[in-house]
Amino acid sequence: MLTSPPTGPLVTRDTIAEGLRELGVRPGEILLAHSSLSSLGWVCGGPVAVVQGLLDVLGSDGTLVVPTQSGDLSDPALWSSPPVPEEWWETIRASMPVYDPGTTPSRGVGVIPETVRTWPGALRSAHPHTSFAALGPRAARIVEGHAPDCRLGERSPLARLEALGARVLLLGAGYDSCTSFHLAEYRIPGPLARVGRPGPHGWEVLTEVSITSERFDELGHDFERDRPVARGAVGAAEARLFPVADAVAYAERWLALHRPREEDFPHPGT
């Protein structure tokens, strides 16, 4: 059976590190990385080589942070990709495994974050839906204390990353994946939502800030137009680098103006 040869460019651990240095990633800094492996080209060593390249540039004093979300630990009534029959819902709620930072896999964020999550020495935050994993000397400070009722707000790793002067790396990923914008949603008026998930004592429902990445691509376009954003290439991937604090501050103003959302409390029956 004939197969097509892989398309390039050929990307290695060293070329990844070189591209990151040219972009401006510095040894010793804290980097929140959103990534797409497939955008890079043909990577020799796959996600392991990407993580190695990131760690090579950050050095022993740097800290790498990635989102390790597990949104599948959620109410099956809201599933759409794919949906499940309504007669299954109660059984799924009763049987779904409780979140465990060490064993619950990430979902929907790509293979690079999952590789970081399982890397020796990685630490992971405690939120069942929107955890972060970190590698490096400031990992514990970043991931500890992630409140169970605060997905991406003041008591999440995002607020610590902002305070510590971390920067965001979009490595082949778009602004729609920029979690820093969500921190701004917690700082402006907006609706709340009921969030269901398995808990240590059975199915639980919490009230949380409603978050959505709707129009984040437009927000990112304007942010890049108005604020300093380093741009470059790593392999075939377009890469962007900017401070978490800049992204949050800009998003607070932009969302309030361009995407206002009515402040509301969810109906008790929802």
Side-chain angles (χ1 to χ4, degrees):
M1 180 177 178
L2 296 176
T3 59
S4 300
T7 56
L10 170 61
V11 180
T12 68
R13 171 180 178 173
D14 289 342
T15 61
I16 289 167
E18 180 182 359
L20 292 170
R21 291 189 184 100
E22 290 178 357
L23 183 67
V25 177
R26 302 186 298 260
E29 74 170 309
I30 303 171
L31 200 63
L32 171 59
H34 299 282
S35 55
S36 166
L37 179 66
S38 62
S39 70
L40 290 165
W42 195 89
V43 182
C44 179
V48 170
V50 178
V51 176
Q52 289 174 331
L54 284 160
L55 296 177
D56 287 345
V57 177
L58 292 172
S60 59
D61 293 330
T63 300
L64 175 63
V65 186
V66 295
T68 49
Q69 299 168 7
S70 45
D72 51 322
L73 301 186
S74 58
D75 193 342
L78 304 177
W79 293 354
S80 60
S81 300
V84 293
E86 185 173 353
E87 59 267 26
W88 294 6
W89 292 355
E90 287 305 316
T91 301
I92 290 173
R93 291 178 184 129
S95 306
M96 188 178 293
V98 176
Y99 172 75
D100 181 285
T103 60
T104 300
S106 58
R107 180 175 178 177
V109 289
V111 294
I112 295 171
E114 181 66 2
T115 302
V116 174
R117 182 189 74 81
T118 59
W119 203 268
L123 301 177
R124 190 183 190 186
S125 70
H127 197 283
H129 290 155
T130 55
S131 64
F132 291 79
L135 279 167
R138 285 166 286 190
R141 184 175 177 185
I142 291 165
V143 303
E144 66 186 5
H146 193 169
D149 61 346
C150 185
R151 287 180 285 186
L152 298 170
E154 306 299 340
R155 293 172 294 152
S156 78
L158 282 177
R160 292 190 176 88
L161 290 166
E162 178 190 38
L164 291 169
R167 292 198 290 175
V168 177
L169 170 68
L170 299 181
L171 184 59
Y175 281 104
D176 58 341
S177 66
C178 181
T179 51
S180 298
F181 289 159
H182 288 298
L183 179 54
E185 292 185 293
Y186 281 74
R187 296 179 177 173
I188 59 178
L192 302 178
R194 298 286 193 190
V195 180
R197 67 191 185 206
H201 307 294
W203 190 257
E204 59 186 23
V205 179
L206 289 78
T207 300
E208 253 278 20
V209 171
S210 175
I211 57 176
T212 174
S213 57
E214 181 185 1
R215 298 188 67 184
F216 274 13
D217 53 346
E218 298 174 56
L219 166 56
H221 174 273
D222 290 354
F223 170 67
E224 190 169 299
R225 178 195 64 202
D226 297 337
R227 299 293 302 158
V229 174
R231 295 181 59 179
V234 178
E238 187 171 16
R240 292 173 168 87
L241 184 67
F242 51 88
V244 171
D246 276 7
V248 176
Y250 190 91
E252 282 187 66
R253 298 187 297 271
W254 194 96
L255 291 171
L257 179 63
H258 297 284
R259 203 200 68 182
R261 303 174 71 204
E262 184 178 352
E263 191 169 5
D264 189 20
F265 288 86
H267 189 278
T270 60

